[in-house]
Amino acid sequence: MIIKRLAIKNFGKIHNKTLEFSQGINVLYGENESGKSTVHTFLKSMLYGIRRQRGKAAKNDTYTTYEPWENPASYGGTLWFENGGKNFRLTRNFHKTNQSSELLCEDDGELLDVEKGDLDVVLGGVSEAVFENTVSVAQLKSVTGQGLVRELQNYMASYQGTGDSSVDLGRTMQLLKMSRKGYQVQADRCKKDTEKEQEKLAVNIDYLRQEMDELWEKKSQISVHEEALQTVGEDNGEAVLDERIYKIQREKGLLSGAMAITAVLAVLAVVMLRRLVPGLWVLQLLAGIAGAALFAGEGISQKRLSEELSRRKRMKNRWLQKQEKLKWNRESLEESWKEKETALSNLQAEYREVEERAYLPLMEETEIEAINLAMKTIEKLSGNIHNQLGGRLRRRTSQILSEITGGKYREVLMDKDLHMTVNTEERTVPLESLSRGTLEQIYFALRMAAGELLCGEERFPVILDDVFGMYDEERLGAVLRWLHGENRQVIISTCHKREMEILEKEGIPYQKILL
């Protein structure tokens, strides 16, 4: 990628200014507060846009810092650049009420859509974080930050054996962890639901058993009453009552016959006395009275027998009603008991099914096991990839560091978090034991090596904004020689003339751009 021209229409303190850049080393020279950092920010904003913050953060964000006081509606400019052998023109307006962007391929006239990601494709997918942490070094930010560590780790996690990072293994790991968490929540919920279902079934089973025990007790009491009704006694027992009713009916029948005989005999006695002893009317009267008295006595006995018979029949009816009621109650209890027995059997079968299901692995648990296996595989693969790419990064960083230090420091050692130590011919030296100038060289070497790794085949320009403050002339000369030897576009912003003096001393061609 080569930056050809910037036309800054209205951005920060710069208005209607055009800057031309060459393919090699460009020195953007200006006094302090002349706008060098503004140019640096404008270039980054053209490539990646400006994200406005919200709330209190908006007071000091990039948008507010560089929003022009005059004519703010024309907040932006144009960038011409070459990438992938094609020439592009990118125009942006950053103003919040008039925001727009246009990307034109000048070679074939194709108008590309920035909002739909066409610019990201042209830039080869190099993110703003990669840009800021590798090839673009802002003022006072030459020391690498955690952003570079994250970008390298993400790249290594996404890298395939062929160097293809289209499959993001790091993102895949995140998605798998999220899926595993979701399945775990579902599994826990299923287990809790199963436990609640078991508890509910157990309570219902105990309740049914208690009800069945109570029904059985009531049925036993009814059986006792039924047995009591069948007990032979003075006033109990159907057979006894029937026998007494039969005796009374027989006695009543005999008494009725006796009354008839008595009446006949009394009449015959009176008639016989009248014929045999016509004049003894007293005897006739006495015979009639005796017959009447006997008949009356028999009638009284007949009435008593009738009353006793009625009483015995009422007793039998009451006994039969009690018997029928007890029988109905017993049958009703038996029916209820059988219904509850069926319900209990169904509940017990359902409880066994739930219990068996609780011992079986859930679908979610099976998915979790599969996810764990996939994550272990990815972790192993990522570890192998990290060793492979980490080795490449370490070797290239060591090579660059050796070149810019004249072979004084030949090897950099680093772990997965980019914690580094320098290996000399005699010993390993931790970074905190090195001078600030040497640290700047190490971080520069790391940035350049990471840029080669993360930016792909299309090499971005190296953009340095006043980053050589801690470099002595020897270190600065070594870095400038290395940059020239890389044969790539370099834009150096500085308020000092020594960069240009060293370039001239070294015979390195450059273009000077005044602000």
Side-chain angles (χ1 to χ4, degrees):
M1 178 180 182
I2 297 174
I3 305 297
K4 290 189 170 183
R5 184 164 76 250
L6 297 179
I8 306 175
K9 188 173 184 180
N10 216 7
F11 194 88
K13 63 175 66 177
I14 301 178
H15 310 283
N16 298 322
K17 190 172 186 64
T18 300
L19 302 174
E20 301 277 351
F21 297 92
S22 64
Q23 184 170 351
I25 296 178
N26 300 266
V27 179
L28 184 62
Y29 176 77
E31 300 295 333
N32 287 329
E33 305 300 326
S34 62
K36 299 185 299 298
S37 295
T38 301
V39 173
H40 186 106
T41 304
F42 174 80
L43 177 56
K44 184 191 74 171
S45 301
M46 290 299 294
L47 292 175
Y48 295 101
I50 298 178
R51 294 177 179 83
R52 295 190 63 206
Q53 303 295 321
R54 295 183 178 181
K56 295 181 179 180
K59 295 181 180 180
N60 299 311
D61 66 358
T62 300
Y63 180 92
T64 304
T65 301
Y66 292 95
E67 183 179 14
W69 289 74
E70 297 179 2
N71 193 19
S74 297
Y75 179 15
T78 305
L79 163 66
W80 287 265
F81 65 95
E82 178 187 338
N83 198 50
K86 292 184 178 182
N87 294 293
F88 296 91
R89 186 188 71 200
L90 174 62
T91 304
R92 285 186 186 267
N93 189 338
F94 301 113
H95 193 262
K96 57 187 176 183
T97 61
N98 192 28
Q99 198 172 54
S100 64
S101 57
E102 179 187 274
L103 179 61
L104 174 69
C105 179
E106 295 182 316
D107 294 333
D108 54 21
E110 182 182 5
L111 193 62
L112 305 175
D113 195 328
V114 175
E115 300 300 324
K116 291 185 177 180
D118 289 346
L119 179 57
D120 295 335
V121 175
V122 171
L123 297 179
V126 176
S127 68
E128 181 179 356
V130 170
F131 180 81
E132 283 189 314
N133 284 280
T134 56
V135 295
S136 175
V137 186
Q139 188 177 14
L140 303 179
K141 292 186 178 180
S142 59
V143 176
T144 55
Q146 286 300 312
L148 178 58
V149 177
R150 286 193 297 270
E151 291 299 326
L152 285 168
Q153 289 174 335
N154 289 340
Y155 182 82
M156 291 179 185
S158 306
Y159 184 81
Q160 303 296 296
T162 60
D164 176 18
S165 59
S166 60
V167 178
D168 190 340
L169 295 184
R171 176 63 176 164
T172 301
M173 283 289 285
Q174 293 178 356
L175 293 175
L176 286 174
K177 288 179 181 179
M178 292 173 60
S179 297
R180 182 176 64 179
K181 184 176 180 180
Y183 281 122
Q184 188 62 58
V185 170
Q186 293 178 19
D188 292 341
R189 185 183 296 116
C190 287
K191 287 183 178 180
K192 288 182 180 179
D193 291 343
T194 301
E195 291 175 358
K196 289 181 180 179
E197 189 176 1
Q198 282 183 298
E199 291 176 0
K200 183 179 179 180
L201 288 172
V203 169
N204 290 337
I205 288 173
D206 289 340
Y207 183 72
L208 269 178
R209 284 174 173 168
Q210 291 176 4
E211 286 187 327
M212 291 176 68
D213 290 340
E214 291 175 0
L215 290 175
W216 190 264
E217 180 65 25
K218 290 179 180 180
K219 180 175 175 295
S220 299
Q221 292 175 1
I222 289 175
S223 298
V224 171
H225 288 306
E226 285 181 330
E227 290 177 2
L229 284 176
Q230 298 296 335
T231 302
V232 177
E234 183 179 354
D235 295 322
N236 296 319
E238 183 178 11
V240 174
L241 290 172
D242 287 339
E243 183 180 354
R244 289 184 177 178
I245 289 172
Y246 173 73
K247 287 182 179 180
I248 293 171
Q249 287 177 337
R250 188 180 62 181
E251 289 178 4
K252 187 178 178 183
L254 293 174
L255 186 59
S256 296
M259 288 177 66
I261 292 172
T262 299
V264 171
L265 291 176
V267 172
L268 290 175
V270 172
V271 172
M272 290 296 296
L273 287 174
R274 182 178 293 178
R275 288 180 179 179
L276 294 176
V277 190
L280 295 176
W281 57 270
V282 176
L283 289 175
Q284 295 175 12
L285 180 61
L286 290 174
I289 292 171
L294 181 60
F295 185 83
E298 290 176 342
I300 292 171
S301 298
Q302 181 75 359
K303 181 180 179 181
R304 288 177 179 174
L305 287 174
S306 296
E307 290 176 352
E308 180 67 15
L309 179 61
S310 298
R311 188 175 72 83
R312 293 294 180 181
K313 286 182 176 180
R314 287 195 301 273
M315 288 177 63
K316 181 178 179 181
N317 288 334
R318 286 196 299 272
W319 186 93
L320 290 173
Q321 290 175 359
K322 287 182 182 180
Q323 181 72 12
E324 187 65 24
K325 184 178 181 179
L326 289 173
K327 179 182 178 183
W328 182 87
N329 287 338
R330 175 172 52 78
E331 290 177 349
S332 177
L333 289 174
E334 288 176 350
E335 184 177 355
S336 297
W337 193 90
K338 288 180 179 178
E339 290 177 356
K340 293 186 183 300
E341 183 183 33
T342 301
L344 176 62
S345 177
N346 292 335
L347 282 176
Q348 289 173 332
E350 189 175 354
Y351 185 87
R352 286 192 297 271
E353 290 178 1
V354 174
E355 192 173 34
E356 291 173 359
R357 191 168 69 243
Y359 286 106
L360 294 175
L362 297 171
M363 179 194 71
E364 290 80 5
E365 291 176 332
T366 303
E367 292 291 341
I368 290 172
E369 290 181 2
I371 289 173
N372 287 335
L373 178 60
M375 290 176 66
K376 287 181 181 179
T377 303
I378 290 175
E379 286 175 356
K380 184 177 179 180
L381 178 61
S382 297
N384 295 335
I385 290 172
H386 181 272
N387 291 335
Q388 179 184 355
L389 291 182
R392 282 176 52 186
L393 177 65
R394 181 184 62 79
R395 287 191 296 273
R396 182 54 178 156
T397 303
S398 299
Q399 181 183 3
I400 296 173
L401 181 63
S402 177
E403 291 177 7
I404 64 177
T405 60
K408 183 177 180 180
Y409 300 104
R410 297 183 177 181
E411 185 179 25
V412 175
L413 306 177
M414 63 181 69
D415 61 16
K416 63 180 180 180
D417 296 320
L418 298 190
H419 296 145
M420 295 182 291
T421 57
V422 178
N423 185 26
T424 67
E425 293 182 355
E426 299 177 353
R427 61 192 179 93
T428 58
V429 181
L431 296 191
E432 57 267 22
S433 300
L434 299 172
S435 66
R436 178 59 187 270
T438 303
L439 280 177
E440 294 280 352
Q441 289 177 303
I442 293 172
Y443 288 129
F444 176 82
L446 176 61
R447 280 179 175 271
M448 296 301 103
E452 293 178 9
L453 185 67
L454 298 175
C455 293
E457 295 181 359
E458 190 63 40
R459 304 178 74 186
F460 270 58
V462 177
I463 305 170
L464 307 172
D465 182 13
D466 270 335
V467 298
F468 297 126
M470 300 302 298
Y471 283 59
D472 57 25
E473 290 189 4
E474 182 181 354
R475 289 190 175 100
L476 181 54
V479 168
L480 292 176
R481 286 192 298 272
W482 183 85
L483 287 171
H484 173 63
E486 287 295 300
N487 192 28
R488 60 194 299 180
Q489 186 180 41
V490 180
I491 301 174
I492 301 173
S493 299
T494 181
C495 61
H496 304 287
K497 295 182 179 180
R498 64 173 188 154
E499 286 87 351
M500 292 180 286
E501 292 172 352
I502 292 174
L503 287 170
E504 292 172 358
K505 180 181 177 180
E506 294 288 339
I508 300 173
Y510 71 96
Q511 176 182 228
K512 179 180 179 180
I513 305 169
L514 292 176
L515 276 179

